Amino acid sequence: MLVRYRYRLYPTPGQQQALARVFGCARVVFNDALRTRQQAHEAGLPHITDAELSARLTACKATPERAWLGDVSAVILQQALADLNAAYRNFFASCSGKRKGPTVAPPRFRSRKDRRQAIRFTANARFRVLPNGKLRLPKIGDVAVRWSRPLPSKPSSVTVIKDPAGRYFASFVVETEPGPLPQTEPLVGIDLGLAHFAVLSDGRKIASPQFLRRAEKKLRRRQRDLSRKQKGSCNRAKARVKAARAHARVADARRDFHHQLSTRLIRDNQAVAVEDLEVKGLARTRLAKSVHDAGWAAFVAMLEYKARLYGREFHRIGRFEPTSQVCSACGVKDGPKPLHVRAWQCQGCGAWLDRDLNAAINVARAAGLAVTACGAQVRPGPVLAQRSEAGTHPKSHREAA
């Protein structure tokens, strides 16, 4: 199983200049190849193959105009062409219907002002991790790495990334064997929401951290400072980095919360079931900011790949399953309810049901998991006794007297 391990890089000022040069060379190769294919398409010529683009790159490096491309590793330039070929394949597959999901746009030209810059080294580039912990990159040097955890195996490639906040990262692709965790009994259903980030079928409720909401005041101030700077000025560049760092802190906090919670759920439960939410549709409503702040899609993706990695069961329930309309105690369906109704009494059995907890239990049952409402806030309400019971009929009192 191929997984990515990401670490923070701390290049020196000289290495940052070398990385900027490499980013620019990869960008030029990508744009030249894209322009060549566009011109061939406009002229009615056949589609230029990948091999022909590679041969043109080799010939281009011998010309005086592009001789400086030889100052960087050739693997990086070939990987830039591979990125263009992958973008075209995805575009053609999306047009023909072979690729699922939203329609993929055709490749666009890269810019030095793009939010994210990235280059990729494969094993042919002969990058390696040194015994002193530094990462040796060809024609760049030995870059300091913050190792937060050891690599499980020898990496097959590494991608060097520069994010909008000016930070550098190394993303290693390694192959690891799934390591099943010890068998455990609990089976849990999860109902994702906004008031509570997650409500579990065993009665636990996990509060929503609301990282974006808590940082809105600072983000607003950073964005206001950025908008007041003159375009093209050095002060605007500094303000842009400050705003990007503020947003990066929010994203990092949310990602860390998702990782910790998903790891805990996978470790403590043998099977996990979640509902397949229509996040794109919800993001077009008045709750859009809260939906994006919650990050449900990223959290569910983490649950899925960690369950596969650690030998757990993962179930995704259809979004049209009426989990909020069916009583988890008796199974009676009493129809949809507005969002402000957080608890109601079942018309069949008289039990008082918590909306989110009831949905979590129904999610687990829809996945075929045997769950109980342990710790659930479900309590029976006052129900009229049946007339066949002793001492409840008025005639019984007269006869007893």
Side-chain angles (χ1 to χ4, degrees):
M1 181 178 178
L2 294 178
V3 295
R4 283 192 176 272
Y5 279 62
R6 183 170 170 172
Y7 305 90
R8 181 79 180 270
L9 294 181
Y10 293 92
T12 63
Q15 292 171 345
Q16 292 181 15
Q17 293 181 1
L19 286 171
R21 189 182 309 113
V22 176
F23 289 144
C25 292
R27 182 173 60 250
V28 167
V29 170
F30 184 93
N31 291 343
D32 286 349
L34 177 58
R35 187 178 299 107
T36 301
R37 279 186 167 171
Q38 287 182 349
Q39 291 175 353
H41 176 71
E42 293 172 356
L45 300 177
H47 182 74
I48 299 178
T49 62
D50 302 349
E52 188 175 351
L53 282 179
S54 180
R56 290 193 181 193
L57 173 60
T58 304
C60 183
K61 291 168 64 175
T63 61
E65 295 81 6
R66 291 287 191 266
W68 41 267
L69 291 176
D71 297 338
V72 301
S73 174
V75 174
I76 297 174
L77 307 182
Q78 293 295 333
Q79 290 302 308
L81 293 180
D83 291 341
L84 177 64
N85 299 332
Y88 266 111
R89 285 196 298 270
N90 293 336
F91 171 64
F92 293 144
S94 179
C95 293
S96 62
K98 296 180 180 179
R99 179 185 174 92
K100 297 181 180 179
T103 304
V104 177
R108 65 169 183 84
F109 290 101
R110 292 180 177 178
S111 171
R112 64 181 180 87
K113 296 183 180 180
D114 286 343
R115 297 177 59 254
R116 181 179 181 272
Q117 304 283 344
I119 53 175
R120 185 166 58 253
F121 297 88
T122 60
N124 295 334
R126 297 181 180 179
F127 73 92
R128 62 193 183 97
V129 179
L130 301 179
N132 60 2
K134 291 188 175 181
L135 174 63
R136 175 164 294 177
L137 300 175
K139 298 188 178 182
I140 294 177
D142 300 344
V143 185
V145 186
R146 178 70 177 271
W147 297 102
S148 56
R149 52 180 174 169
L151 287 171
S153 61
K154 185 177 180 180
S156 60
S157 69
V158 59
T159 303
V160 179
I161 305 166
K162 182 182 179 182
D163 70 354
R167 303 177 301 177
Y168 294 85
F169 296 92
S171 178
F172 296 92
V173 176
V174 297
E175 186 166 359
T176 179
E177 294 295 332
L181 293 172
Q183 293 285 331
T184 184
E185 291 299 327
L187 311 168
V188 67
I190 305 174
D191 179 67
L192 300 175
L194 297 178
H196 291 87
F197 178 78
V199 177
L200 309 183
S201 58
D202 58 6
R204 287 179 293 168
K205 293 187 176 182
I206 300 168
S208 180
Q210 297 183 346
F211 296 107
L212 180 61
R213 295 287 186 181
R214 290 190 297 175
E216 268 188 321
K217 186 176 180 180
K218 185 174 183 179
L219 294 175
R220 191 183 303 114
R221 184 169 63 251
R222 296 299 186 195
Q223 292 293 154
R224 184 171 60 245
D225 293 343
L226 175 61
S227 66
R228 291 175 177 175
K229 299 297 185 291
Q230 184 179 359
K231 291 187 177 181
S233 65
C234 294
N235 286 336
R236 182 178 178 86
K238 295 177 184 178
R240 184 199 62 78
V241 173
K242 289 182 179 180
R245 287 177 178 174
H247 283 282
R249 279 192 288 269
V250 174
D252 291 346
R254 183 188 299 114
R255 189 183 306 111
D256 181 67
F257 169 75
H258 287 166
H259 271 296
Q260 292 193 26
L261 179 58
S262 59
T263 300
R264 186 166 68 249
L265 291 175
I266 292 298
R267 183 185 62 240
D268 298 342
N269 299 277
Q270 184 63 32
V272 176
V274 296
E275 189 176 4
D276 184 20
L277 299 174
E278 178 56 37
V279 179
K280 282 191 174 182
L282 294 172
R284 291 193 292 265
T285 65
R286 59 184 178 85
L287 302 174
K289 183 180 292 187
S290 298
V291 170
H292 287 302
D293 191 12
W296 294 327
F299 174 71
V300 172
M302 290 181 186
L303 281 176
E304 186 171 8
Y305 90 80
K306 290 180 182 180
R308 187 168 61 252
L309 183 62
Y310 297 116
R312 300 302 200 199
E313 297 181 27
F314 177 82
H315 303 274
R316 193 188 295 265
I317 307 305
R319 63 189 60 170
F320 298 109
E321 191 74 22
T323 56
S324 298
Q325 305 177 23
V326 177
C327 174
S328 59
C330 64
V332 172
K333 181 178 179 181
D334 51 4
K337 303 165 188 64
L339 287 177
H340 70 271
V341 177
R342 309 313 303 173
W344 76 93
Q345 185 178 18
C346 176
Q347 300 299 321
C349 63
W352 280 94
L353 304 170
D354 179 272
R355 182 190 185 103
D356 298 329
L357 181 57
N358 179 74
I361 297 174
N362 287 331
V363 165
R365 287 180 176 167
L369 308 181
V371 297
T372 59
C374 297
Q377 300 177 6
V378 179
R379 58 184 176 87
V383 182
L384 294 176
Q386 299 297 321
R387 289 187 175 273
S388 59
E389 294 181 3
T392 60
H393 197 276
K395 186 177 179 180
S396 301
H397 293 284
R398 290 195 300 269
E399 293 176 350

